[in-house]
Amino acid sequence: MALNFRFAVVSDLHLALPHTIWDHPNRFHLVEVSISAFQSVLEHLTQLDLDFLLLPGDLTQHGEPENHAWLQQCLAQLPFPVYVVPGNHDVPVLLADQQSIAFADFPYYYTKFGYEDPQQIYYIRQLLPGVKLIGLNSNSFNDQGEQVGCLDAKQLRWLEEVLAASSDELIMVMVHHNVVEHLPNQSNHPLANRYMLSNSAELLQLLRRYGVKLVFTGHLHVQDIAYSDGVYDITTGSLVSYPHPYRVLEFHRDNQGKESLQILSHRVESVPEFPDLQQSSRQWMGDRSFPFLIKLLTHSPLNLPLSQAKELAPSLREFWATIADGDAVLDYPHFPLEVRRYIQSYGALAQPNPGMANNGTLTLIDNNSTLLLG
């Protein structure tokens, strides 16, 4: 049966009403634009004929009740359905404190946006005839009360049950933490592993078993599409980080059963506070990049001496902004061969030859592409 629908994805909003903003000298988030940027996006999306909108977590800056309440009221006014899942910033504590809501409170704010049963922090909803969305919770707390990215055993059992009962429908999954690696060795990298779901292999096994091909994630603040043995993990960058992106997607299935997903990425170019947002934001990120770059160069697998890392870091000032942009082409021919090869591995250039600049095959799918799903 033919099937066509259009939807949007906006991730990592980090909404913060002005009086709730607190600063950290090394944060890449430009939360000062969160409200106006989101309003700008909604102004665009309400002009489109959307079937629904997905928000894959980090809706608020630090789980503040006021920010959750503001978003709840905002979403209720939209002309299309909206579905949300919690990010680590939305439920940073198990029990409510002076700043943040309790973990169990989250679904009660969003009963109209997926959580018809607010006693359960994951759900399955009928989007359209023959199309269902599964919203998962990837935020758990270990025995020490620390937040970790993991699907608990009860949720995995529930997931298998609902997948088995929905085998004749198109299933899409939304979860905050990444399920497929978007960065080199992301699952084990000391700086990147916290963005991965710790039991992603178990989840992927379930998704493949039941033919689920599309997963929508956030958390990483990068425009990237990753693929692993039948499953696409489409992660969308943060609305408060360069390049302030969001996506509009169209799913098509013809009468022969051939399926495709067209992806178009957009950016917030300007807000009242920052009329040249793209340039200002890239500058903001570069100004705060040095501590991150030192960690990247001195940690595994490079393990460079601090002196060498300090020498190379200034050349990499725009490294993370370029990755966040998606479809990155990275080459630093003046770098030592090992470092050059490692930096290239973060880009869209497939199998580069370190002896020649940019001679690999470009795989530019992160922003504007059509995925052939079979």
Side-chain angles (χ1 to χ4, degrees), residues 84-128:
V84 309
V85 291
N88 56 303
H89 279 252
D90 298 316
V91 287
V93 290
L94 190 57
L95 302 176
D97 59 21
Q98 291 183 338
Q99 178 173 264
S100 309
I101 65 170
F103 173 77
D105 291 343
F106 181 87
Y108 289 89
Y109 282 88
Y110 300 101
T111 54
K112 297 179 180 178
F113 311 106
Y115 295 95
E116 292 179 5
D117 177 8
Q119 296 186 30
Q120 184 170 280
I121 202 164
Y122 41 89
Y123 59 83
I124 183 168
R125 289 290 170 265
Q126 195 84 44
L127 299 178
L128 299 163

Side-chain angles (χ1 to χ4, degrees), residues 146-163:
E146 299 167 331
Q147 193 180 40
V148 294
C150 182
L151 300 184
D152 60 81
K154 181 181 178 182
Q155 186 174 185
L156 284 169
R157 288 194 298 270
W158 169 88
L159 176 60
E160 182 155 24
E161 290 173 4
V162 298
L163 287 174

Side-chain angles (χ1 to χ4, degrees), residues 157-178:
R157 288 194 298 270
W158 169 88
L159 176 60
E160 182 155 24
E161 290 173 4
V162 298
L163 287 174
S166 307
S167 58
D168 58 341
E169 299 188 86
L170 172 68
I171 303 293
M172 303 195 305
V173 170
M174 177 169 59
V175 62
H176 187 58
H177 289 71
N178 300 154

Side-chain angles (χ1 to χ4, degrees), residues 32-61:
E32 289 80 357
V33 308
S34 60
I35 300 294
S36 54
F38 189 51
Q39 290 173 330
S40 172
V41 170
L42 294 182
E43 183 178 349
H44 176 212
L45 296 183
T46 52
Q47 298 173 30
L48 306 179
D49 185 21
L50 291 185
D51 290 289
F52 55 89
L53 168 64
L54 303 181
L55 306 179
D58 278 1
L59 313 176
T60 60
Q61 176 60 342

Side-chain angles (χ1 to χ4, degrees), residues 220-235:
L220 189 59
H221 292 207
V222 165
Q223 288 285 94
D224 194 75
I225 298 175
Y227 176 81
S228 174
D229 194 18
V231 179
Y232 286 95
D233 182 335
I234 300 170
T235 195

